Amino acid sequence: ESQQIFNIMKTLKIFFCVILLNMVVAVSFAQLSDRVNNPSKFKTGTRPIAGNMGFYLGVSTEDIKTWTAEEDTSANDSASTTEEIKSIIPLVSLKFYIKDDMVFRIGIKTSKEKKVRDGEIDPAVNGAGGLTSKTDINVTSETYFSPGIEKHFLNSNLLDAYLVGTLPIGYIKEKVVDSWHNDLGEFQENTMTKNSLAYGLEGHIGLQAFIADLPLALGLELGVSGIGYRGEKHKNVVSSSIGGVTTDQKYYTLKDDPQNTKYSSLKSNSFDTNGSIRLTLSYYFSK
């Protein structure tokens, strides 16, 4: 069931990205012509109204922390333990102006973090029973879809204030592989996976300013998000052959369990509430 959900989420992500790309290609870069710019010595954009659309980019403080995080440079093996972020896409949304003061938006946010150490070892260097290979893989990927509604309150061509509520739903996939082999034919392979469904509710207060001659807007959103997680458990599959004894095990563990209890079956759900700050950039256009 978890794999089916993951496949559906992956298909939706690809479908959404294709639609977004097609809309970017199709968009005309002309100004919105529905309203007249506010006369001023400052250049201000044209305010969108009912029937207009827009692209939205929201960069949270967590995104910035991830981008600026220092690499893990272990003193034992700095090259093999370097943390590599393969990709991170902040919240990207399509906006649809249902009314002058009411906006529907649908967004997507994805990230993938990967750390790999996979090496062959000369057993002559390590002596009898020495390792011949060792592999450490740690991969975490997240995908969120966020439909939402905005209610706008100002009618200015310069500043815009609004409330926005979103219902994020996503899928989190983790995989950790730890294995070794030695020159005696012994080995141990431990694969730990987690597939979690995430869902929640977010509420933000937003303020944006329309800038330049193009219909661009820079803004800030402040609010709170509550996210629930279903399937917060790690599935462990362990295979080993040591001293002539072969072992095959499957069990479940919890991430923050200090006793590392091994469960034959397990249900684990959680819910987190956090403050949220986003820097936003929007580009508006007519159909």
Side-chain angles (χ1 to χ4, degrees):
E1 180 180 357
S2 296
Q3 186 62 38
Q4 291 177 345
I5 296 175
F6 173 73
N7 291 336
I8 293 172
M9 296 294 289
K10 185 176 181 180
T11 302
L12 286 174
K13 181 174 71 172
I14 296 173
F15 179 71
F16 187 90
C17 291
V18 170
I19 291 178
L20 185 61
L21 179 60
N22 287 335
M23 292 194 68
V24 170
V25 174
V27 167
S28 169
F29 290 94
Q31 271 194 358
L32 296 176
S33 59
D34 301 279
R35 291 192 178 183
V36 178
N37 284 350
N38 183 30
S40 169
K41 64 180 180 180
F42 299 104
K43 293 183 178 181
T44 59
T46 307
R47 184 185 179 88
I49 62 172
N52 294 149
M53 301 177 66
F55 292 116
Y56 163 100
L57 177 67
V59 180
S60 70
T61 52
E62 290 300 319
D63 296 332
I64 296 174
K65 288 180 182 178
T66 303
W67 284 328
T68 58
E70 294 183 0
E71 294 181 345
D72 179 9
T73 54
S74 172
N76 294 328
D77 193 348
S78 59
S80 60
T81 59
T82 298
E83 185 176 277
E84 180 183 0
I85 298 175
K86 289 296 184 181
S87 63
I88 176 169
I89 301 175
L91 182 60
V92 179
S93 299
L94 292 176
K95 287 186 173 187
F96 306 88
Y97 272 74
I98 306 170
K99 300 179 180 179
D100 290 357
D101 61 350
M102 189 69 68
V103 181
F104 171 76
R105 75 188 194 190
I106 176 70
I108 184 173
K109 178 179 180 180
T110 67
S111 66
K112 183 175 182 180
E113 184 177 346
K114 187 175 183 180
K115 180 168 65 175
V116 177
R117 177 172 57 193
D118 186 8
E120 301 294 327
I121 302 172
D122 184 355
V125 177
N126 293 278
L131 297 180
T132 58
S133 66
K134 195 174 190 309
T135 301
D136 293 303
I137 301 174
N138 195 323
V139 181
T140 301
S141 60
E142 300 183 5
T143 300
Y144 285 91
F145 296 94
S146 298
I149 291 288
E150 298 178 9
K151 171 62 177 176
H152 293 250
F153 298 100
L154 297 182
N155 197 31
S156 166
N157 272 27
L158 178 60
L159 293 176
D160 185 21
Y162 58 92
L163 291 176
V164 56
T166 56
L167 297 172
I169 181 170
Y171 195 81
I172 303 170
K173 185 177 179 68
E174 295 182 13
K175 184 176 182 179
V176 177
V177 178
D178 182 8
S179 68
W180 57 263
H181 294 72
N182 65 21
D183 60 351
L184 300 179
E186 299 176 328
F187 69 89
Q188 178 171 295
E189 298 178 352
N190 184 1
T191 301
M192 182 173 66
T193 57
K194 185 183 80 168
N195 300 307
S196 300
L197 178 66
Y199 59 94
L201 174 65
E202 295 181 334
H204 290 82
I205 299 173
L207 180 66
Q208 61 181 348
F210 300 101
I211 61 173
D213 289 325
L214 294 174
L216 293 173
L218 290 174
L220 181 69
E221 291 181 352
L222 304 174
V224 63
S225 62
I227 305 294
Y229 302 91
R230 297 185 63 85
E232 280 287 277
K233 61 183 180 182
H234 289 91
K235 178 182 178 181
N236 296 263
V237 178
V238 180
S239 299
S240 66
S241 178
I242 302 175
V245 179
T246 301
T247 302
D248 289 295
Q249 292 181 309
K250 184 178 74 173
Y251 55 88
Y252 298 90
T253 58
L254 295 173
K255 181 178 181 180
D256 297 322
D257 182 3
Q259 298 178 344
N260 196 31
T261 305
K262 298 178 175 62
Y263 299 86
S264 58
S265 62
L266 178 64
K267 290 183 178 180
S268 177
N269 305 318
S270 63
F271 191 89
D272 294 332
T273 302
N274 296 292
S276 178
I277 302 175
R278 291 196 190 106
L279 300 175
T280 68
L281 173 64
S282 299
Y283 172 78
Y284 299 102
F285 56 92
S286 298
K287 293 182 180 179

